[in-house]
Amino acid sequence: MGRKLDPARKVKRGPGRKARKQRGAEEELAGFLPPDPDDNVRKLSSHARRRAAKRRIKSVKLQTNKNSRVLQKVQAAKNLLSEGANKKAKLQVGHQAGFSDENASWLTPGKKRARSKEDESAALSDSDGNEGPWESDGEEGSMDGMVDDYGASSSSDEEELLPIEKASRKDKLEGEAFNEDDSEDEEESPPHQQEEDTDKDADLQLNVETDERFVLPSGQEIEKEVAQAPDLQLIHQRIKDNIEVLQDFSTKREEGHSRQEYLSLLRRDLAAYYSYSDFLIGKMMDLFPLSELVDFLESNEVPRPVTLRTNTLKTRRRDLAQALINRGVNLDPLGKWSKTGLVVYDSSVPIGATPEYLAGQYMLQGASSLLPVMALAPQENERILDMCCAPGGKTSYIAQLMKNTGVILANDSNADRLHSVVGNLHRLGVTNTVVSHCDGRQFPKVLGGFDRVLLDAPCSGTGVISKDPTVKTNKDEKDILRCAHLQKELILSAIDSVNAASETGGYIVYCTCSVMVEENEWVVDYALKKRNVRLVPTGLDFGKEGFTRFKERRFHPSLKSTRRFYPHTHNMDGFFVAKLKKFSNAIPKAVKDEESNGEPAVQAEEASSAPAAAEPLPQGRKQVALKAAKKPTAKQGLSAATPTKAKGSPKGDKQKKQASVSRQGSFQKRTRPSKAARPSPGGLKARPTHSKKRKLHRGHQ
Amino acid sequence: MRPLTEEETRALFEKLSKYIGENIQLLIERPDGAYCFRLHKDRVYYLSERILKLATNVPRQNLISLGTCFGKFTKTQKFRLHITALDYLAPYAKYKVWVKPSAEQSFLYGNHVLKSGLGRITESTSQYQGVVVYSMADVPLGFGVAAKSTQECRRMDPMAIVVFHQADIGEYIRHEETLT
């Protein structure tokens, strides 16, 4: 399914930087690589030239054809030649010039200049095509007098030669053969930088040319492509080119093609390359600017880092970190914004089955799921409702923040997933919780008058594609709207179960793991219109602001205070958090004029100005009931959709455990992944510094 | 959900007293409010009155769990302690057994504690006494029954069982579905 699994797309393999240090490997490789004289003559350092010559000698030996044997003889003879003989060789070559190592070592003043000359001449010899690469060895010693000449010579010569150089460069680029020698030299020889710069210039020019050459494939081409299996490499390149054109459309566009054509091609390519459904890619393109779009899709292909939350009811983060480090777990604090989170880089033991885990000292939990609880900010001795609680991570975090005081009602509509809730709550030592199995939409009827409500609504899961890639293909417009409808019902019942008169609370936190506007801003905007609530700042100092306008939709301006989190910017699951404050228990009468976009309908009839929130609210319920009666089919669909909460299967924990088991083998390396693997809200600013991390580790040891 | 009957209370307390002795008093008379035992779907829950008040509003068939589950009554009306009660047993336990790090894993997989894995044991533990099992880092791992008294333990061969396994925290993973 995923791009990663595609066998056709292979990463280029070859000796890396380290492989170079192993003797023998390069010799072997030389046997595999075809001797490519044209490439190597250019900008070889003296050392590299010598090595290349050796290598080639060997590779030539391997060749069986007669030609090569003859060459070998010639070459052997040449190697034996004395300096005098070299001069003869020079006569043969004519105007060729070059430097040996010995000369280069003491001819420092004119070095760079001379080298570039040498290269040019080499390029010339290339164009002749007669010379073997090792021939340049022959010119050593002859250059003593010429250095100054060349150093002082005008640049006209150079300019003359440059096109040739370019041509050879182009040849090289076109020829697919990857030259290992070349890359070696670039690392090895810093004095070459100047000329490399000129090369880069040439490169840049070439790039521009290719960009300008990017043309939209015609209809026939596309048809042909559809018939064949897609060439992912080609598509990837086309996506890159296309985006580059689109970002600077007025200058880079091709005449006669509209932006729409480019966009539709891009959409098709993205859908094919990342294997999304056409609908979802369209949605994503609406949501993200082009510069971010590929980043987002790319980050959906890699898993988020494993994070865990310390259970402060049983232990402290410092102690837990120490205990886990002793078990061979490589971890770090999550970030400045969390006092309990830890990031796990790698582990020699399954992180979901350590005795510490079983003793309830921590909970495996995504970084993003800490955020809504922090936004909820539960206080001690409050009554709190968690409407969709499975698998209990957020619920236990609430209990932890309340220090096991007060009461939490943990509700979920899926009985199977409640097993894990009960297990987790008991394991973590949470004692102030009642676990119930009700439909969230009936809520104020079951129980009301809560101080705070956390609604982690079931959603399409478009923020957690890295966890569940099936979302890519199995969601369409209808699913999204169905989710949105369910969410609207849930948010209304969540608001209705809060007591606005509460001294400490009266807050509702709405969150989803979706990035769709339909499931987030739209739902909150709907709630603002239907109930006496207003948006308040979430208390999270990072994350992106919610949309106040999206395509044809215009939302309440206060939606700025909601927060969005993305995998590519914050390295956590895509997430949306909104915090609402209820300021009156009265339910406004159904507003007829939908276009009144201003204050959330305060033309409420103040019939019952201060009803106790625990009491049922007859008017609102009747409305809901009426609605339900009107659309029985929709209801059925909804109830079917209710259990499909895409946040993770009921055995999410177990899966994690298995994953960590499989990771066990790769621990020998003990390489610490790059900093990018850590969820780091706010980019560089919020990342804990390296020194701090050291301090923590030392503190434990 | 209902309060326990006479017999049920007796069965429960008898079982608890095997592990925490007269410390049962501390479970019932707590300084931070009234706590009580309630029976729901054959499970015994230990919870504060405040939670009880809230839980009474939830329809009985929709109620899954409340407070802390201590164990369940079998069909023959015997009481069986669950691992979930460990949070309350461990602090009040009278007799303790510490297992070596090498034997931790084995115990968490549901095996008995062997003499070779025994790190420490409370003095004057008698045979068939309920004990709480700890790791050497003082993390409670579960509970069991002493197979031998402390004196006898001293001269056992290394492969002999010293503590019979009853419950361990590995059950949170192994028996998640039947936990409560």
Side-chain angles (χ1 to χ4, degrees):
Chain A
M1 201 98 230
R3 179 175 55 86
K4 278 193 293 188
L5 299 178
D6 187 31
R9 192 179 150 276
K10 272 187 185 161
V11 185
K12 199 174 267 176
R13 285 181 185 253
R17 286 166 63 95
K18 299 229 168 136
R20 188 157 55 101
K21 295 193 176 93
Q22 295 174 348
R23 194 161 300 163
E26 55 208 290
E27 292 162 9
E28 250 177 58
L29 194 81
F32 290 106
L33 285 175
D36 213 347
D38 291 4
D39 290 340
N40 301 317
V41 183
R42 302 192 68 263
K43 62 182 185 108
L44 284 187
S45 75
S46 49
H47 284 286
R49 226 187 306 136
R50 237 197 272 155
R51 262 189 293 126
K54 264 188 207 164
R55 224 171 291 148
R56 248 170 230 107
I57 291 165
K58 274 177 190 147
S59 69
V60 166
K61 270 180 195 165
L62 288 174
Q63 290 176 349
T64 49
N65 60 1
K66 273 184 187 175
N67 258 345
S68 68
R69 232 180 282 156
V70 174
L71 261 177
Q72 207 178 339
K73 273 180 196 167
V74 173
Q75 179 208 333
K78 281 205 174 141
N79 283 342
L80 291 173
L81 276 181
S82 65
E83 277 194 17
N86 280 348
K87 275 183 185 168
K88 218 198 275 173
K90 190 210 156 199
L91 275 178
Q92 280 182 345
V93 178
H95 57 275
Q96 268 209 11
F99 275 108
S100 74
D101 330 328
E102 300 93 341
N103 287 339
S105 66
W106 59 271
L107 283 175
T108 39
K111 202 165 152 194
K112 279 175 187 170
R113 201 70 180 160
R115 283 216 178 147
S116 67
K117 284 288 126 190
E118 174 195 350
D119 279 12
E120 286 156 19
S121 61
L124 255 187
S125 74
D126 282 358
S127 57
D128 289 344
N130 292 330
E131 299 291 334
W134 45 81
E135 229 94 13
S136 57
D137 280 358
E139 290 99 51
E140 45 188 39
S142 62
M143 295 299 100
D144 303 8
M146 301 182 76
V147 180
D148 288 344
D149 284 1
Y150 276 115
S153 70
S154 69
S155 61
S156 63
D157 226 359
E158 211 172 59
E159 278 158 16
E160 257 179 33
L161 290 171
L162 263 174
I164 300 169
E165 212 173 330
K166 257 193 221 166
S168 75
R169 180 78 181 174
K170 224 180 255 180
D171 279 351
K172 193 169 102 184
L173 279 177
E174 276 164 14
E176 265 189 29
F178 170 70
N179 193 355
E180 167 247 9
D181 292 350
D182 223 83
S183 61
E184 242 178 42
D185 288 337
E186 276 169 16
E187 286 162 18
E188 247 175 40
S189 54
H192 278 259
Q193 263 175 3
Q194 262 199 352
E195 71 183 68
E196 268 170 26
D197 282 352
T198 61
D199 282 344
K200 267 178 199 161
D201 284 349
D203 254 347
L204 274 178
Q205 283 174 5
L206 285 175
N207 273 341
V208 170
E209 272 167 24
T210 51
D211 279 345
E212 280 168 358
R213 262 190 263 130
F214 174 66
V215 284
L216 282 171
S218 65
Q220 292 168 341
E221 281 175 311
I222 289 167
E223 270 173 38
K224 212 163 65 181
E225 233 173 72
V226 168
Q228 299 164 349
D231 177 7
L232 290 178
Q233 215 103 51
L234 182 85
I235 292 177
H236 185 60
Q237 186 58 42
R238 202 159 64 194
I239 290 170
K240 265 203 293 191
D241 295 342
N242 203 341
I243 284 180
E244 207 158 305
V245 171
L246 282 168
Q247 277 173 345
D248 190 6
F249 194 65
S250 56
T251 56
K252 293 186 178 170
R253 68 180 292 187
E254 197 187 347
E255 284 304 319
H257 287 288
S258 68
R259 196 177 174 88
Q260 257 57 43
E261 288 173 72
Y262 278 91
L263 280 172
S264 67
L265 174 72
L266 179 67
R267 180 173 171 160
R268 211 165 35 237
D269 282 347
L270 285 174
Y273 188 69
Y274 294 100
S275 56
Y276 280 74
S277 68
D278 187 54
F279 160 74
L280 200 59
I281 271 290
K283 284 279 177 199
M284 298 298 183
M285 285 176 80
D286 292 342
L287 206 55
F288 295 104
L290 284 175
S291 51
E292 282 184 42
L293 179 63
V294 172
D295 285 346
F296 174 77
L297 297 175
E298 204 58 61
S299 64
N300 278 341
E301 303 295 322
V302 286
R304 304 274 80 78
V306 178
T307 55
L308 50 89
R309 173 177 57 81
T310 318
N311 181 18
T312 51
L313 294 172
K314 292 206 170 185
T315 184
R316 288 176 300 171
R317 182 164 77 168
R318 171 182 285 264
D319 299 340
L320 174 67
Q322 180 59 67
L324 288 178
I325 286 168
N326 288 344
R327 292 206 185 270
V329 180
N330 189 359
L331 42 75
D332 254 354
L334 180 53
K336 267 184 190 160
W337 53 274
S338 169
K339 286 203 171 77
T340 54
L342 289 166
V343 179
V344 178
Y345 292 121
D346 49 20
S347 168
S348 57
V349 292
I351 196 72
T354 62
E356 282 77 21
Y357 177 84
L358 294 172
Q361 295 187 348
Y362 65 91
M363 174 91 188
L364 283 172
Q365 197 171 16
S368 59
S369 62
L370 303 179
L371 301 172
V373 180
M374 290 164 69
L376 187 71
Q379 308 294 312
E380 289 179 31
N381 293 311
E382 281 186 331
R383 274 160 66 104
I384 292 187
L385 170 64
D386 186 354
M387 261 196 172
C388 310
C389 65
K394 294 185 190 73
T395 316
S396 57
Y397 191 26
I398 294 173
Q400 169 181 330
L401 291 177
M402 292 166 71
K403 303 201 177 70
N404 253 338
T405 61
V407 193
I408 302 171
L409 180 56
N411 179 67
D412 203 286
S413 63
N414 187 338
D416 293 333
R417 302 190 63 188
L418 280 172
H419 290 304
S420 64
V421 178
V422 172
N424 280 326
L425 290 179
H426 278 95
R427 183 172 59 80
L428 295 163
V430 175
T431 56
N432 62 346
T433 316
V434 177
V435 183
S436 72
H437 168 222
C438 304
D439 189 336
R441 287 167 292 184
Q442 303 169 337
F443 236 85
K445 217 192 309 180
V446 178
L447 212 52
F450 290 94
D451 294 318
R452 288 161 204 263
V453 174
L454 174 64
L455 173 57
D456 181 11
C459 64
S460 60
T462 46
V464 287
I465 294 175
S466 59
K467 261 188 210 164
D468 179 15
T470 55
V471 174
K472 284 176 180 181
T473 45
N474 66 6
K475 291 278 182 282
D476 61 4
E477 183 80 52
K478 229 190 278 171
D479 293 313
I480 304 280
L481 291 179
R482 193 181 289 146
C483 274
H485 186 247
L486 174 64
Q487 285 157 352
K488 284 174 183 172
E489 288 180 300
L490 283 172
I491 198 171
L492 288 193
S493 56
I495 291 170
D496 289 344
S497 9
V498 170
N499 180 10
S502 157
E503 282 172 19
T504 53
Y507 292 101
I508 301 103
V509 168
Y510 173 80
C511 62
T512 63
C513 54
S514 167
V515 293
M516 294 289 155
V517 172
E518 286 86 346
E519 297 179 72
N520 298 327
E521 280 87 351
W522 198 24
V523 174
V524 175
D525 192 56
Y526 173 82
L528 288 176
K529 282 177 188 159
K530 289 284 181 186
R531 291 290 184 272
N532 287 330
V533 287
R534 63 165 178 267
L535 276 166
V536 291
T538 52
L540 304 167
D541 53 354
F542 57 100
K544 297 198 168 170
E545 289 176 354
F547 294 101
T548 53
R549 39 183 295 179
F550 181 76
K551 296 184 83 176
E552 75 280 0
R553 295 205 181 93
R554 297 290 174 273
F555 303 122
H556 194 269
S558 65
L559 272 156
K560 254 194 160 55
S561 55
T562 61
R563 283 283 177 270
R564 287 176 155 263
F565 300 91
Y566 293 129
H568 58 287
T569 48
H570 306 98
N571 200 12
M572 50 177 79
D573 295 328
F575 223 75
F576 174 83
V577 181
K579 187 176 184 181
L580 300 153
K581 165 95 172 133
K582 189 173 177 184
F583 57 87
S584 163
N585 280 333
I587 295 177
K589 208 179 174 188
V591 191
K592 290 274 165 54
D593 46 346
E594 285 288 323
E595 66 273 10
S596 75
N597 214 352
E599 278 296 303
V602 200
Q603 321 100 311
E605 60 158 6
E606 303 286 309
S608 55
S609 56
E615 278 173 20
L617 303 153
Q619 288 176 349
R621 271 222 326 278
K622 209 180 277 173
Q623 282 171 14
V624 174
L626 269 173
K627 236 190 244 170
K630 266 181 206 164
K631 306 183 206 168
T633 49
K635 263 267 157 99
Q636 276 169 8
L638 277 168
S639 58
T642 314
T644 60
K645 191 177 176 188
K647 278 192 310 179
S649 64
K651 289 168 188 174
D653 280 9
K654 281 187 182 169
Q655 285 176 352
K656 278 179 198 165
K657 279 163 212 164
Q658 282 172 357
S660 49
V661 170
S662 66
R663 222 180 300 124
Q664 215 174 337
S666 66
F667 189 61
Q668 267 80 4
K669 279 189 261 170
R670 276 202 83 102
T671 49
R672 183 181 290 263
S674 67
K675 286 260 182 177
R678 172 213 322 266
S680 60
L684 287 168
K685 191 178 59 183
R687 275 181 199 165
T689 55
H690 221 274
S691 60
K692 198 184 166 193
K693 167 179 51 190
R694 285 277 147 71
K695 215 191 290 169
L696 182 88
H697 282 205
R698 230 184 293 135
H700 298 316
Q701 280 154 10
Chain B
M1 185 174 57
R2 62 170 173 81
L4 303 183
T5 61
E6 256 331 281
E7 295 100 78
E8 283 164 349
T9 313
R10 198 181 313 119
L12 168 68
F13 280 21
E14 267 172 19
K15 182 69 93 174
L16 280 178
S17 66
K18 279 181 182 161
Y19 294 90
I20 59 177
E22 57 273 23
N23 287 341
I24 298 178
Q25 289 287 330
L26 300 173
L27 278 183
I28 297 158
E29 292 156 13
R30 284 172 59 142
D32 57 337
Y35 276 72
C36 58
F37 289 97
R38 282 290 179 277
L39 188 80
H40 177 67
K41 291 180 181 165
D42 274 344
R43 259 76 175 166
V44 176
Y45 294 93
Y46 175 70
L47 63 159
S48 82
E49 301 270 356
R50 188 169 180 202
I51 298 171
L52 182 66
K53 258 195 286 179
L54 182 114
T56 46
N57 293 318
V58 181
R60 195 171 45 177
Q61 69 273 15
N62 290 348
L63 190 62
I64 304 292
S65 151
L66 56 155
T68 306
C69 177
F70 261 46
K72 68 167 185 183
F73 280 102
T74 61
K75 301 271 193 249
T76 52
Q77 291 304 303
K78 292 194 183 79
F79 184 72
R80 186 158 294 164
L81 269 178
H82 280 171
I83 185 60
T84 47
L86 185 67
D87 273 345
Y88 287 101
L89 292 186
Y92 302 123
K94 309 209 84 175
Y95 297 95
K96 302 178 183 179
V97 165
W98 286 263
V99 296
K100 290 177 184 165
S102 53
E104 238 173 61
Q105 191 84 336
S106 161
F107 180 71
L108 291 183
Y109 281 11
N111 299 317
H112 303 306
V113 180
L114 304 179
K115 172 69 174 27
S116 59
L118 187 67
R120 286 159 67 193
I121 185 167
T122 312
E123 283 294 324
S124 74
T125 306
S126 58
Q127 201 175 16
Y128 307 134
Q129 166 71 46
V131 292
V132 174
V133 180
Y134 286 79
S135 74
M136 291 310 272
D138 271 337
V139 177
L141 298 178
F143 46 88
V145 168
K148 296 281 187 296
S149 68
T150 311
Q151 263 66 36
E152 283 171 305
C153 279
R154 298 228 167 92
R155 44 174 190 281
M156 300 280 287
D157 66 305
M159 293 315 286
I161 295 168
V162 288
V163 177
F164 294 122
H165 167 272
Q166 283 195 327
D168 66 87
I169 51 177
E171 285 172 26
Y172 283 119
I173 293 179
R174 298 203 304 274
H175 306 145
E176 193 178 56
E177 274 69 34
T178 56
L179 217 48
T180 59

